[in-house]
Amino acid sequence: MQPVQIVDLFAGPGGLDVAAEKLGVPAVGVEWDSAACATRRAAGLGTIEGDVRRYGPSSFPDADVLAGGPPCQTFTVAGGGAGRRALDDVLRFVHRMTAREDREEIAKDLAKMEDERTGLVLEPLRWALEAIDQHDKPYKAIVLEQVPAVLPVWEAYAKALVSEGYSVDCGILPTEAYGVPQTRKRAVLIARFGVESVELPGPTHRSYRKGIARDAGDVSLAPWRTMGEVLDRDYRFLVISNYGTGGDPKARGRRGSWEPSATVTGKISRNRVVSPDEKELERFTFSEAGRLQTFPGDYPWSGKDIGQQIGNAVPPRLAMHILSAAFGWAPPTEEALRKLERWRPEVPLGEPSVAAEATDPDE
């Protein structure tokens, strides 16, 4: 398939949309965080700053691909059973929505939930069903990603979407297996309408294992990429995590420049960078943190909380593989992936459509 436009819900600073742009596919993102929107606008990405619950398929009539990574905090809460209860509630709502229960009644019940963010994970399903029920125009492809704890939600989505005529695949993807110089796992769902099958992208690189050599393992896969390969530091260094291991603040996680980075979080600026003999070195800049996520080195990070923006984003290199699989394309070539090294837009990045602006709740 050749997509016309992607509408990206909870779009953040643009990880998936950067990937789409490098693949030559226009995208517009809906995001309510003003800081992330500042970065998006600086990059020239199509952006609607607002609440996805105030919009729907009619706001973006040209979009034939739906993407999103809704907030996950409410059902990854540790202790007290709150996370598990929220997950059970979400799965029940998926069933009710697919059964076409009265939407006003569902909305009332969602409003009663302890944390309103729990209902946000249901928004992509609402959009998908509205495209079918109200517009008789199913999205040709759907792409969703989040932390591994969200996989049960994606599995429930998969059953719902299959009943609507989609082929679906979902699972956990390790980022370093796609050439991202970072160990990070994402729960991913891809779906395509009216085809017999769809599959998540296969790995292109070996998975990282502490103490296992880069050249060990499946010879058909490339070695995992290292921090040293993508950063401009011409010396070896160690990164000492801000987080303790096993609850012991003295047992900080360590990675060398000859290894992939640990998961890039919003607190990456707190990670110490030292020489092999423990001499303090300059900590990662925002550009370097972005490159560990495979953003272009000159990506125009803007606004507040830039570290958090970077940590929350989907790595564009992984997103290029996911989008290609969702569209039924061959995996992106190394030539295509090298485009991520510089931010040079490949497609026109104009203003969002008039239809989207007309439905802005602030209008």
Side-chain angles (χ1 to χ4, degrees), residues 233 235-238 273-275 279-283:
R233 304 190 181 204
Y235 48 82
R236 289 162 69 89
F237 58 84
L238 291 166
V273 182
V274 302
S275 65
K279 179 182 178 180
E280 293 289 334
L281 302 172
E282 181 184 1
R283 297 190 180 192

Side-chain angles (χ1 to χ4, degrees), residues 238-242 270-274 278 280 283:
L238 291 166
V239 180
I240 304 176
S241 173
N242 174 58
R270 298 183 184 179
N271 291 353
R272 293 170 56 210
V273 182
V274 302
E278 301 291 326
E280 293 289 334
R283 297 190 180 192

Side-chain angles (χ1 to χ4, degrees), residues 173-174 176-179 200-207 218 220-222 321 331:
L173 302 183
E176 80 274 15
Y178 299 89
L200 291 171
T204 57
H205 291 65
R206 297 167 194 147
S207 293
D218 191 339
S220 69
L221 300 175
H321 283 276

Side-chain angles (χ1 to χ4, degrees), residues 13-22 174-184 186 204-205 224-227 229-231 260-264 268 285-301 309-322 332 334 336-344:
L16 184 137
D17 300 342
V18 166
E21 185 274 328
K22 295 303 181 185
T175 57
E176 80 274 15
Y178 299 89
V180 178
Q182 173 194 177
T183 54
R184 183 188 192 102
R186 306 303 289 176
T204 57
H205 291 65
W224 31 261
R225 299 174 75 211
T226 72
M227 289 185 280
E229 286 181 79
V230 299
L231 302 183
S261 168
T263 299
V264 172
I268 189 171
T285 64
F286 291 138
S287 174
E288 288 178 315
R291 275 181 279 174
L292 293 177
Q293 282 274 58
T294 64
F295 277 88
D298 60 347
Y299 197 64
W301 299 104
Q309 292 183 48
I310 295 171
N312 288 346
V314 57
R317 184 175 176 121
L318 174 66
M320 287 183 74
H321 283 276
I322 294 170
E334 281 302 317
L337 291 165
R338 279 196 295 271
K339 292 180 179 180
L340 290 172
E341 295 175 3
R342 295 292 301 275
W343 181 237
R344 295 171 177 169

